[in-house]
Amino acid sequence: MRIKWFSLVRITGLILVLTYHFFQTKFTGGFIGVDVFFTFSGFLITALMVDEFIKTNEFKLLDFYRRRFYRIVPPLFISVLVVLPLTYFVDHDFVTGIGKQIAAALSFTTNYFEIATSGSYENKFIPHLFVHTWSLAVEMHFYIIWGIIAFIVAKVSRHYRTDELSGVALFRSILFVVSGILAIGSCLAMAIGAMGLKDFSPVYFSSVTHSFPFFIGCMLGIVTGIKNHIPTYKRITAAVNQPIATGIMVISFLALISLGYWMKFDSIVTYQGGMVVASLLAGAMIYGARLLHDHTPNINEPRWATFLADVSYSVYLYHWPLYVIFSHMMSNTLAAIVTTIVAIILSAISYYILEPVIAGKSAQFLGHTWTWRQLQWPVLAVAAALTINLGVVVKHAPTVSLLEESLWVGGIYQDIDKLTATHDAILAAAKPRDKQNKEIPAGVSIIGDSVTLGTRAYLGANVPDSSIDAEGDRTMNLAYQVMMNQQQSHTLRQYVVICIGTNSLDDYAVQTMKLVNDLAPGHKLIFMTPYNQHATASWNSTKSAVLERQLAEKYKFITVADWDKAAAQHPEIFQGTDGVHFAGRHAGDVLYADVMNQGLKEAKDKPAK
C-alpha cells in the first residue's frame, strides 16, 4: 500500500541535502535533510512492522533484513563502481586513501571512519568522495538494532498477551515506550556530547548521538501505522479535513526550509535542540501527509513526485561524489545542475532496472519489461570492467595527498622554528632589563593559515630575512594573539605580513581592526588578501579582502599584497584542488612568494606606524 504525499516528504529531505551541499554558505542548515530522511525511515519501517505483526502475529527478522539488504546494498555497490571512472577527470589527490573510504562505505562504518580521520562535509581540503555514506552507516545500525528489538518484543507480546490486552496492543505499547526511551537517550547524548566541542562532527556522525530522529519516527509510525491505526488516530482523521491536513504539511515544509537557512553546522544550538526540532517538524509533515492521504481518495499523487521519491535514495548516493568531481571541472552553479541531471538519470536506471533485476524480479521501465536473462551478460560485462577499474584506482591511489604532504613538511619546519624562537625568547628574558634589546627587529614576520603553511618551505627560502608562523584553520583573532605574543616578547619584526582571511568568521571586521589598532608603532603592516576560487561577494573571505584594501587606502603604514587578485588570474594552479590551496605545486609557491615580495617592496616606500 503506497501512501500518497509521502513522496513530498522524501523530496523535502532531498532538496535540503542538495542545497546544503551545492550552496553550503547560503543554505547553511540544509544538513537537516538527513534528519528528515531518518525520521521518515523510522516511521515507515515501524509502521510496516506493526502491520506485519497484526497480519501474521509474528515479526520475521530474516525477511526484514533481506528486504533492507536489497533496498540499500545493491544501489550502494552500483554507485561506487559507476563513480570511480570519473575520478580520472580530476586531480589524483581526490582518490587519496580511496580504498579505505570504499571499505568504510561498503561495511557501513563510514560514520566512525570519518570521526577517526576528522572528516566532514565542511572539510577545507580534499573532501572524501564517500563521506555522505555516513548516514547509511547510521541507518544500517538502526535497522540491525531495531529489527532485533522488534523481534524480541513480538515474541514477548505473543507470550504475555491477556484477555484485557491483545498481543497487538502489547506489541505497540512496548515498542512505543522503548523508542521513546531511546529517542530521549540519544537526544541527551548529543546535547551533552556537544558541550565544549569546536568540531561537532563526532556527535553529528555517531550512531549513538544521531539516532533520535529514527525513534521519533518510530513513535509516530506506531501511532498512525500504514494499514492499521489506533482508535485515537481514527478520531483525529475524522475531526480534520483536507485543508487542515494540507496546512500541516505546508507549515512543516516552510519551517524546515527556514531552519535550512538559519541553522549552522558549527553552532552548539544545532546539537542542543536544533536537530530535534527539525525531526519533530519532519514528523509533523509525515503526519500531515498521512492525514491528507485519507482525505484525498479521488486525487492521484503527481507522477513527477512519485518518480523523484522513488529515485531519491540513489540520487543521494550519486550526488556528493559527482558534485565533488564536477565542481572542480566547472563553475559551482553549472556543477550543481549537471550533478542533479546525471544523478537522476543514473538513479532511474538503478532503481527501475538494475535493482529489481538483481533481486530476481522483472523490471518495468519506459514501456519495456526487463529480465535477468535479457540483461545478464551486459550487466556482468560492465560490472566486471568497473570492478577491475576499482582495483586499479585503489591500487594506484596515493596514501597522502600533495597538499597533506606540503602541510606536513611545513609543520615540521614550523615546529623547529618555534623551538628556536622559544629558546631565543628565554635567553632574552634572562638578561637584565637594562640590557634587553627593546628595538624592533629588522626583517619580516609572516603570520598565516594553512595556505601559508603549505608553501612554508619555499616561502622561507624566497622571502629574505623572514620568520613564519602558520597554522591550519587560523582565523584573524588567532592571528592577533600570535602578533601580540611576538610583540610582547620583542620578536615581532618591522614588516608584519598577515596572511589570514580564508577562514573568516562573522567578526572578521572587528578582529581586523583590533589587529590594526594594537600593532605597536614602528611597524609596517602588509595584508595578504585571502583567495577562494568558489567564493562569492557574500562570503566573509571576500568581504575581508575588500576591507583590507580599504584599510590600505586609509592608513599609510598598511600595504596590500593582493593574493586574491593574482590567484584569480592563474586558475591553473588550483585545477583539481579545493580552490584555496594549490597542493604543493611549484607554480603556486612561486606566485605566492612573488605577490608577498611585491607587497613588501611597496611597503618600503611607506612610513611605519
Side-chain angles (χ1 to χ4, degrees), residues 449-462:
D449 54 20
S450 57
V451 179
T452 310
L453 183 61
T455 185
R456 193 182 193 285
Y458 184 87
L459 204 60
N462 290 275

Side-chain angles (χ1 to χ4, degrees), residues 465-580:
D465 198 16
S466 62
S467 68
I468 304 172
D469 191 311
E471 189 173 311
D473 294 331
R474 181 173 280 169
T475 50
M476 193 63 76
N477 62 310
L478 298 176
Y480 171 83
Q481 294 174 12
V482 173
M483 186 190 78
M484 293 305 294
N485 288 336
Q486 292 186 12
Q487 191 165 274
Q488 291 166 7
S489 63
H490 306 291
T491 58
L492 188 67
R493 302 188 181 189
Q494 182 183 12
Y495 294 88
V496 181
V497 183
I498 303 297
C499 313
I500 301 291
T502 304
N503 308 304
S504 293
L505 303 177
D506 291 338
D507 64 346
Y508 70 92
V510 173
Q511 296 297 334
T512 301
M513 290 310 303
K514 189 177 177 182
L515 186 147
V516 170
N517 293 330
D518 291 353
L519 179 67
H523 293 281
K524 297 182 180 183
L525 184 60
I526 298 94
F527 280 117
M528 191 92 160
T529 55
Y531 175 73
N532 187 325
Q533 197 173 48
H534 306 294
T536 64
S538 64
W539 288 37
N540 286 339
S541 59
T542 305
K543 294 177 183 177
S544 179
V546 171
L547 174 63
E548 290 170 359
R549 295 187 188 102
Q550 293 172 345
L551 291 173
E553 294 177 359
K554 182 177 180 180
Y555 298 99
K556 293 182 178 180
F557 68 91
I558 296 179
T559 304
V560 164
D562 213 331
W563 172 243
D564 179 43
K565 182 178 179 180
Q569 295 172 350
H570 295 275
E572 68 279 0
I573 67 173
F574 297 98
Q575 186 65 38
T577 72
D578 62 353
V580 175

Side-chain angles (χ1 to χ4, degrees), residues 352-353 356-357 361-375:
Y352 290 110
I353 299 178
V357 167
K361 305 174 183 176
S362 61
Q364 302 289 333
F365 188 60
L366 298 178
H368 294 279
T369 300
W370 307 85
T371 63
W372 175 247
R373 178 172 295 181
Q374 293 173 299
L375 299 176

Side-chain angles (χ1 to χ4, degrees), residues 63-366:
D63 287 350
F64 171 73
Y65 286 155
R66 187 179 299 109
R67 291 192 298 270
R68 293 298 87 208
F69 174 87
Y70 280 115
R71 182 67 190 98
I72 294 175
V73 177
L76 175 61
F77 269 82
I78 294 169
S79 66
V80 170
L81 292 175
V82 169
V83 162
L84 285 182
L86 295 175
T87 60
Y88 292 113
F89 294 101
V90 292
D91 193 272
H92 204 47
D93 273 359
F94 278 83
V95 293
T96 300
I98 195 69
K100 293 180 180 178
Q101 293 182 49
I102 293 173
L106 299 183
S107 63
F108 298 98
T109 56
T110 296
N111 57 336
Y112 292 111
F113 171 75
E114 295 299 332
I115 291 174
T117 57
S118 300
S120 170
Y121 287 118
E122 306 203 348
N123 193 315
K124 296 178 178 61
F125 305 132
I126 304 298
H128 287 171
L129 289 179
F130 300 108
V131 62
H132 66 308
T133 61
W134 74 269
S135 63
L136 273 67
V138 177
E139 188 166 4
M140 186 61 79
H141 301 163
F142 162 73
Y143 289 147
I144 292 172
I145 294 172
W146 193 236
I148 293 172
I149 290 174
F151 178 76
I152 295 172
V153 171
K155 294 284 188 183
V156 170
S157 299
R158 288 206 314 271
H159 187 268
Y160 289 100
R161 62 187 178 184
T162 63
D163 293 336
E164 294 79 17
L165 190 64
S166 68
V168 172
L170 187 58
F171 182 71
R172 270 185 157 137
S173 299
I174 296 176
L175 281 186
F176 189 86
V177 172
V178 172
S179 57
I181 293 172
L182 292 175
I184 293 171
S186 179
C187 289
L188 290 175
M190 174 172 279
I192 296 171
M195 292 179 179
L197 294 181
K198 291 183 180 179
D199 175 16
F200 296 100
S201 296
V203 292
Y204 182 75
F205 285 137
S206 172
S207 298
V208 175
T209 54
H210 206 154
S211 61
F212 59 86
F214 290 106
F215 296 115
I216 290 174
C218 291
M219 297 170 73
L220 182 61
I222 293 166
V223 171
T224 66
I226 298 295
K227 295 181 180 179
N228 301 277
H229 325 294
I230 63 174
T232 302
Y233 174 78
K234 294 179 180 178
R235 288 194 294 269
I236 293 174
T237 303
V240 302
N241 53 29
Q242 181 180 334
I244 293 176
T246 304
I248 293 173
M249 283 197 71
V250 171
I251 292 172
S252 301
F253 170 78
L254 293 176
L256 284 168
I257 296 298
S258 298
L259 281 181
Y261 278 105
W262 173 74
M263 289 178 66
K264 295 182 184 297
F265 189 85
D266 58 357
S267 172
I268 187 69
V269 176
T270 297
Y271 305 92
Q272 293 186 335
M275 283 192 282
V276 175
V277 172
S279 300
L280 293 173
L281 287 171
M285 191 174 182
I286 293 167
Y287 191 66
R290 187 68 187 83
L291 291 172
L292 189 60
H293 170 84
D294 292 333
H295 286 282
T296 54
N298 300 318
I299 300 177
N300 293 324
E301 189 176 60
R303 295 189 65 180
W304 63 265
T306 303
F307 168 76
L308 289 178
D310 285 345
V311 302
S312 59
Y313 169 57
S314 290
V315 169
Y316 179 82
L317 290 178
Y318 283 107
H319 87 280
W320 177 251
L322 290 179
Y323 173 67
V324 170
I325 293 169
F326 291 147
S327 64
H328 291 87
M329 299 170 61
M330 56 194 75
S331 68
N332 186 70
T333 300
L334 183 58
I337 294 171
V338 173
T339 295
T340 303
I341 294 173
V342 174
I344 288 175
I345 292 172
L346 292 175
S347 299
I349 295 171
S350 176
Y351 181 82
Y352 290 110
I353 299 178
L354 297 178
E355 294 171 44
V357 167
I358 290 173
K361 305 174 183 176
S362 61
Q364 302 289 333
F365 188 60
L366 298 178

Side-chain angles (χ1 to χ4, degrees), residues 46-61:
T46 308
L48 292 174
M49 286 176 173
V50 172
D51 286 349
E52 180 181 344
F53 187 79
I54 291 173
K55 183 179 180 180
T56 65
N57 199 36
E58 63 179 337
F59 173 70
K60 297 179 180 178
L61 183 61

